[in-house]
Amino acid sequence: MPVTDFRFGPVELYLVSLDGDRPAPAVVDSLHELIASGAVRLLDFVIVHKDEDGAVTSIEIEDHVEEYGFEDIEFGAIGVTGQEDIEAFAELIEPGQSAAVVALELAWAARLAASVAASGAEVLSVERIPAAIVNAIVELDDTEGE
């Protein structure tokens, strides 16, 4: 019998480059808006820095919520971003740069996943097309149609 009472929905891990050592205020504001709307739940947020020699350090946001503007956010699952995730993402960070690993639960997708499972069906695959690619394709299509 399929599980239909999900505690969590699908989770996406984002690696967001930082200009400096902290997320831009607009990014923090966007996260606050998405959380307030109920579309997502912020599970985890880790700042990762790679020094010039390639050494990687990470900071769990739970220890610095006020410093980063998250004092009014209830995190859903601090630590869901594991050390293996951080190490894999760190390979994408240039030496001397920082990035944030953001774990977002897709609350809307949790409801959909539960409904799909309750119907006896299952999600066989999910593919994500990055926004930049979708916009480039649509832009190209628009210019070809002119």
Side-chain angles (χ1 to χ4, degrees), residues 48 50 56 81-92 101:
V48 182
K50 183 185 282 187
V56 175
T81 306
Q83 191 60 38
E84 288 179 12
D85 298 318
I86 292 168
E87 289 171 6
F89 278 131
E91 292 180 22
L92 302 172
V101 178

Side-chain angles (χ1 to χ4, degrees), residues 84-108:
E84 288 179 12
D85 298 318
I86 292 168
E87 289 171 6
F89 278 131
E91 292 180 22
L92 302 172
I93 302 171
E94 294 294 323
Q97 301 295 312
S98 296
V101 178
V102 184
L104 294 176
E105 175 193 16
L106 307 178
W108 62 268

Side-chain angles (χ1 to χ4, degrees), residues 5 10 12 14 18 21 26 32 40 44-45 64 68 74 79 83 96-97 101-102 107-108 113 115 126-127 130 137 142:
D5 186 21
E12 292 188 351
Y14 291 84
L18 302 178
D21 63 352
H32 280 275
V40 301
D44 201 3
F45 195 104
H64 306 277
Y68 290 99
E74 181 179 328
Q83 191 60 38
Q97 301 295 312
V101 178
V102 184
W108 62 268
S115 296
V126 175
E127 296 292 328
I137 291 169
D142 288 348

Side-chain angles (χ1 to χ4, degrees), residues 45-132:
F45 195 104
V46 181
I47 303 291
V48 182
H49 178 76
K50 183 185 282 187
D51 70 19
E52 294 294 343
D53 296 326
V56 175
T57 56
S58 60
I59 300 170
E60 275 284 353
I61 198 73
E62 72 176 322
D63 301 326
H64 306 277
V65 290
E66 291 177 9
E67 181 181 343
Y68 290 99
F70 293 105
E71 60 273 3
D72 59 341
I73 300 295
E74 181 179 328
F75 289 85
I78 291 288
V80 73
T81 306
Q83 191 60 38
E84 288 179 12
D85 298 318
I86 292 168
E87 289 171 6
F89 278 131
E91 292 180 22
L92 302 172
I93 302 171
E94 294 294 323
Q97 301 295 312
S98 296
V101 178
V102 184
L104 294 176
E105 175 193 16
L106 307 178
W108 62 268
R111 294 185 295 274
L112 178 60
S115 296
V116 168
S119 75
E122 63 182 278
V123 176
L124 299 176
S125 178
V126 175
E127 296 292 328
R128 169 142 314 220
I129 303 170

